[in-house]
Amino acid sequence: MNISVFCGASRPSNTQYIAAATLLGKSLAREGHTLLYGGSNLGLMGVVSSAALEEGGHVVGVIPSFFSEEIIQSQPVSELVRVASMAERKEYLIAHSDAFVALPGGIGTLDEAFEVMVANQLGLSQKPLGLLDTNHFYQHLMAQLEHMEKEGFYNLTHAKYLILEEQPDRLLQRLTDFKPDPDRGHVAQRLRHKS
Ligand code: AMP
């Protein structure tokens, strides 16, 4: 499978996150998946990419051309795709991936994860998003989603595309096993006909 990984461009002081990113990168490569990611060597992005490459994996970096050449060239990758903007990068990653993983990260990571969640909510895609719950990192987000449902702004049935898992190996297995809902395509069609 082609799997996009979203993750922090910062290097956290808690080494649990670095260990988890390393394990995920290695497992991805060992299982023969292609890793797509943001392209640079910054923070966890560099960690996951280097781990996959060291294990002989195929890594595609997708990076907007407004970044400096120093950042663009900072990480050796199997393929480098230059795009015009952050929006185009998200579009590219979503179109070319079968599944997604959000490692712990900041608002850039959440922006990318939410793009996937919204596309699934609208029925525009039906691709699973794994949240790697290292150190219970995503428990606050899950609590926020529950709060949004309680207040009537979100329907937790859409969370069926979310896979929350602490172990990188198990997360990849669950993404591989994920089966899309055969009825969901009709939702996208109905929405498109309305517009
Ligand atoms: P953040 O979670 O805020 O650290 O942002 C990380 C996410 O945003 C990554 O998955 C990248 O796709 C993107 N991103 C943020 N900063 C950079 C950067 N300097 N170079 C490449 N991608 C970045």
Side-chain angles (χ1 to χ4, degrees):
M1 293 205 298
N2 286 350
I3 301 184
S4 275
V5 173
F6 312 133
C7 58
S10 307
R11 199 173 173 92
S13 52
N14 184 339
T15 54
Q16 278 180 284
Y17 299 123
I18 294 165
T22 305
L23 263 178
L24 185 87
K26 284 187 188 297
S27 301
L28 260 165
R30 271 191 219 124
E31 296 298 318
H33 300 301
T34 292
L35 165 68
L36 294 91
Y37 86 111
S40 78
N41 77 341
L42 299 169
L44 292 188
M45 300 169 74
V47 174
V48 73
S49 170
S50 296
L53 286 169
E54 276 164 27
E55 211 61 28
H58 190 77
V59 175
V60 182
V62 183
I63 192 158
S65 41
F66 63 75
F67 280 112
S68 70
E69 223 26 58
E70 191 189 341
I71 288 183
I72 292 175
Q73 304 286 348
S74 61
Q75 176 74 11
V77 287
S78 318
E79 278 177 62
L80 185 67
V81 178
R82 292 170 192 254
V83 290
S85 63
M86 298 294 273
E88 202 178 294
R89 166 155 72 183
K90 285 186 283 189
E91 224 172 86
Y92 185 98
L93 291 174
I94 291 179
H96 291 83
S97 301
D98 305 297
F100 308 88
V101 172
L103 289 173
I107 56 173
T109 301
L110 284 187
D111 174 49
E112 292 163 338
F114 275 109
E115 188 90 10
V116 172
M117 288 168 68
V118 171
N120 283 336
Q121 175 170 278
L122 293 174
L124 299 171
S125 74
Q126 297 183 68
K127 298 179 182 177
L129 167 66
L131 301 176
L132 191 66
D133 200 28
T134 310
N135 198 25
H136 309 301
F137 185 81
Y138 280 112
Q139 294 301 317
H140 303 277
L141 175 63
M142 297 312 286
Q144 179 65 33
L145 293 178
E146 278 167 21
H147 180 63
M148 288 192 290
E149 174 168 86
K150 193 167 129 279
E151 298 300 317
F153 292 110
Y154 180 65
N155 186 335
L156 273 174
T157 57
H158 299 306
K160 67 186 168 201
Y161 297 101
L162 283 182
I163 298 174
L164 188 74
E165 180 60 59
E166 267 185 80
Q167 299 303 323
D169 283 353
R170 271 194 51 76
L171 182 59
L172 288 180
Q173 191 55 52
R174 290 177 64 187
L175 289 173
T176 309
D177 294 344
F178 179 85
K179 297 272 177 299
D181 179 347
D183 294 332
R184 282 293 292 165
H186 301 307
V187 177
Q189 270 173 16
R190 274 207 310 276
L191 286 168
R192 280 198 209 105
H193 286 150
K194 272 185 195 164
S195 61

